[in-house]
Amino acid sequence: MLMSQPEETMTRQSRSSRRPVAIPADEAERNRLLAEMAEQSTDMISRHTPGEWRFIYASPAVTHLLGYSVEEIIGMSAYELYHPDDVEDFKRRSPSVSYERGLYTHTYRFRCRDGHYTWLESTSRSIRDPDTDELLEILVVSRDVSRRVEAEQASQRLARVLEYSSDLVAFATPDHRITQLNEAARQALGLELTDHQPLRLQDLFAADSYGLLQSQGLPVAKEEGRWRGEAEMFSRSQQRMIPVMLEVLAHRSLGGQLEYFSTVARDMTAVKQAEAEKLQYQLEIDHASRLITMGEMATGLAHEVNQPLTAVVNYVRGIQRRLDMGADTPLSEIAQPLERIGSTALRAGDIVHRMMDFTRKTEPCRELLDLAPLVDELISFCQHSAGRHQVQLSNRLPDNLPPVLADRIQLEQILLNLILNGIEACSDGDESDRQVWLDASLDKSDQVIIRVLDQGRGLPVSDPEQLFGQFFTTKTDGLGMGLAISRTLTERHGGQLQAANRPEGGAVFSFNLSTG
Ligand code: ADP
């Protein structure tokens, strides 16, 4: 409501209106004119004594604005109603009132009748005696600006949140001129927004990402209000790309005109790095686990490779004997052993290649795979281990299975773990009844359920979940990682690996794969 204002904050209007205001000679007439104006106005018009700023007059709007009746407020000093935090401020400025005339505007908190404070904006004019220049009274027009002040405070709070947010925030005009960058953006991108160094949207982003913004991000945000996608920003200070999750918002004026775009970018460097490390770690684990599986099979495989090599040596010896018998040995007699040497050596080579394939470090790659031939190959690969334990291995897959979507090496690893476990579980059973077989079926949701069944001793624990814990083993030389890894691999394929006892004895391990 009040009135004081230092010289430097006075409005242009106030500076140009230093002429003393003519005061109607008749006090009653002046009040009548004011009352008539005040009657029409939702703003409160009041008059105050100099010094204590007591109300001499208040228009009826005082009741709407402050809850007081006109009678109640007359005689009260405005100082009584000021918010304590604003009083000092006002007093500090008040001396200027005695020296200045004209209009000044002031925003402050004033106490209402019910005790709460409301924000008022007052424009005041000091009224002086034209002859003596004596300050006679202050004429004030006040309006409730609580909503505006609250909105300003809310947007100041938001601006602070944006400024100190860890997300990289930028504002740009529809023609891509940057008008604001928050601290995180300035720091991360190594950019400063200055008058002599204008920035454009393309200065913030990698070329590809700016292209994506132009073709998709901005048009979609313009159309639908927002767009979300992945992008890369360029950091000049770190000379590197920053991967970000980007949100683009379009801001419109009340008339619906596009005024600004804002881009809010979340730095994903750490997340991407963690993902890459996790993938690398998984690759290492996969690789290590394949080496372990291969190690477990090493004796058998050595034997498998040794067999063809021995055969090759025998063929060679046979040929040598024939050649030793005389120069007239017909070539036709050594043609067949030579051919066998070739094919046997190739078989040995195949085994070695499969081992190398299986233990090679590879990036996972999903493809549609026919299960039957894959299972046949695995069975022949495990034949030696099965033979050692006198276990019969068989493929009982139905003919009409659709191909499954899987990474070949990982699927082989799961099956190999399960088959070898099955063989071991049978190894101390009745010799005539040691069987491990593979079976599969298509379920209602078009998933192929693959099962590895055995006639072994059954699960060693009542809760099958325990078997999938890392390092759980009942074997003296076991590592207890096979099932844990197999479960991770099936989950990576969107499937689930489970174990159960078969009612007929033995165990069944099953998992599902999608058919693509
Ligand atoms: P490891 O073979 O090194 O022990 P695994 O994770 O492959 O590690 O298996 C964990 C444990 O689960 C085995 O030690 C065994 O007790 C049990 N198990 C796995 N397969 C079978 C099975 N077919 N029948 C009975 N028990 C099994």
Side-chain angles (χ1 to χ4, degrees), residues 341-358:
I341 287 173
S343 60
T344 318
L346 282 178
R347 185 153 65 88
D350 274 353
I351 296 169
V352 172
H353 274 130
R354 277 211 56 72
M355 284 171 64
M356 280 163 58
D357 265 356
F358 188 72

Side-chain angles (χ1 to χ4, degrees), residues 95-108:
S96 64
V97 173
S98 11
Y99 309 114
E100 302 298 338
R101 294 179 198 143
L103 296 176
Y104 34 85
T105 302
H106 189 44
T107 306
Y108 55 91

Side-chain angles (χ1 to χ4, degrees), residues 421-422 425 454 458-460 467 472-475 478-484 507 509:
N421 275 346
D454 65 65
L459 304 181
L467 306 182
F472 178 92
T473 184
T474 53
K475 301 170 192 168
L479 257 188
M481 285 302 289
L483 288 178
F509 284 76

Side-chain angles (χ1 to χ4, degrees), residues 44 122 179 210 215 218 354 388 427 482 504 513:
M44 176 175 77
S122 295
T179 59
Y210 180 63
S215 64
L218 301 176
R354 277 211 56 72
R388 255 195 313 149
S427 60
E504 306 85 351
L513 284 177

Side-chain angles (χ1 to χ4, degrees), residues 45-164:
I45 296 170
S46 54
R47 290 168 46 217
H48 299 261
T49 60
E52 291 193 314
W53 310 103
R54 292 197 180 278
F55 281 81
I56 309 167
Y57 167 80
S59 67
V62 69
T63 310
H64 175 67
L65 241 62
L66 302 175
Y68 290 103
S69 67
V70 173
E71 295 72 33
E72 278 173 323
I73 206 147
I74 299 293
M76 281 173 80
S77 163
Y79 284 118
E80 292 171 33
L81 302 178
Y82 259 114
H83 188 285
D85 291 352
D86 298 342
V87 170
E88 280 313 306
D89 182 43
F90 175 69
K91 280 187 176 161
R92 235 175 342 102
R93 291 169 174 205
S94 64
S96 64
V97 173
S98 11
Y99 309 114
E100 302 298 338
R101 294 179 198 143
L103 296 176
Y104 34 85
T105 302
H106 189 44
T107 306
Y108 55 91
R109 282 158 291 178
F110 218 49
R111 197 176 68 237
C112 298
R113 193 172 192 276
D114 65 6
H116 89 275
Y117 285 90
T118 191
W119 282 95
L120 294 185
E121 184 182 80
S122 295
T123 305
S124 315
R125 179 191 285 276
S126 49
I127 297 176
R128 293 170 185 274
D129 184 317
D131 300 327
T132 62
D133 205 32
E134 182 196 352
L135 181 60
L136 297 177
E137 61 182 61
I138 313 291
L139 181 61
V140 183
V141 179
S142 310
R143 65 192 60 93
D144 183 348
V145 288
S146 308
R147 281 213 192 148
R148 196 192 74 204
V149 170
E150 275 160 21
E152 279 168 9
Q153 287 173 340
S155 59
Q156 273 167 11
R157 275 196 299 274
L158 274 180
R160 265 182 74 81
V161 170
L162 278 189
E163 178 60 16
Y164 296 110

Side-chain angles (χ1 to χ4, degrees), residues 145-361:
V145 288
S146 308
R147 281 213 192 148
R148 196 192 74 204
V149 170
E150 275 160 21
E152 279 168 9
Q153 287 173 340
S155 59
Q156 273 167 11
R157 275 196 299 274
L158 274 180
R160 265 182 74 81
V161 170
L162 278 189
E163 178 60 16
Y164 296 110
S165 155
S166 57
D167 288 344
L168 284 52
V169 183
F171 282 88
T173 57
D175 64 353
H176 302 190
R177 190 171 49 82
I178 301 292
T179 59
Q180 219 179 326
L181 280 178
N182 74 345
E183 183 172 299
R186 295 194 299 271
Q187 289 279 333
L189 305 179
L191 293 172
E192 268 315 322
L193 198 58
T194 56
D195 286 344
H196 51 273
Q197 190 198 0
L199 285 174
R200 304 195 53 80
L201 210 46
Q202 56 263 48
D203 298 324
L204 273 50
F205 290 92
D208 283 1
S209 296
Y210 180 63
L212 180 71
L213 271 183
Q214 277 184 308
S215 64
Q216 247 193 54
L218 301 176
V220 171
K222 198 171 163 185
E223 192 64 30
E224 298 170 14
R226 63 194 295 181
W227 175 83
R228 219 176 132 84
E230 287 191 25
E232 279 190 324
M233 298 183 93
F234 178 65
S235 167
R236 287 193 195 179
S237 47
Q238 301 166 43
Q239 284 297 306
R240 70 169 181 103
M241 296 297 175
I242 303 176
V244 295
M245 185 51 95
L246 185 68
E247 183 115 28
V248 181
L249 299 173
H251 306 273
R252 293 181 178 278
S253 66
L254 286 177
Q257 205 92 41
L258 179 67
E259 285 186 325
Y260 281 100
F261 285 115
S262 60
T263 61
V264 182
R266 178 149 299 176
D267 187 344
M268 301 294 279
T269 309
V271 176
K272 293 271 176 203
Q273 209 168 326
E275 276 173 10
E277 276 168 14
K278 190 172 165 211
L279 191 71
Q280 185 57 35
Y281 177 71
Q282 272 170 354
L283 280 180
E284 304 279 344
I285 289 271
D286 290 355
H287 185 225
S289 77
R290 286 201 295 275
L291 291 180
I292 291 166
T293 313
M294 210 33 75
E296 282 171 7
M297 295 179 71
T299 345
L301 287 169
H303 183 87
E304 207 125 319
V305 177
N306 204 31
Q307 252 183 349
L309 287 182
T310 315
V312 167
V313 170
N314 287 341
Y315 287 130
V316 170
R317 287 210 181 117
I319 293 170
Q320 254 171 353
R321 263 200 311 276
R322 269 180 217 171
L323 291 177
D324 288 346
M325 276 157 62
D328 52 349
T329 311
L331 279 178
S332 58
E333 274 191 31
I334 57 169
Q336 198 193 28
L338 274 178
E339 194 195 305
R340 290 209 177 129
I341 287 173
S343 60
T344 318
L346 282 178
R347 185 153 65 88
D350 274 353
I351 296 169
V352 172
H353 274 130
R354 277 211 56 72
M355 284 171 64
M356 280 163 58
D357 265 356
F358 188 72
T359 49
R360 191 175 297 143
K361 219 172 176 178

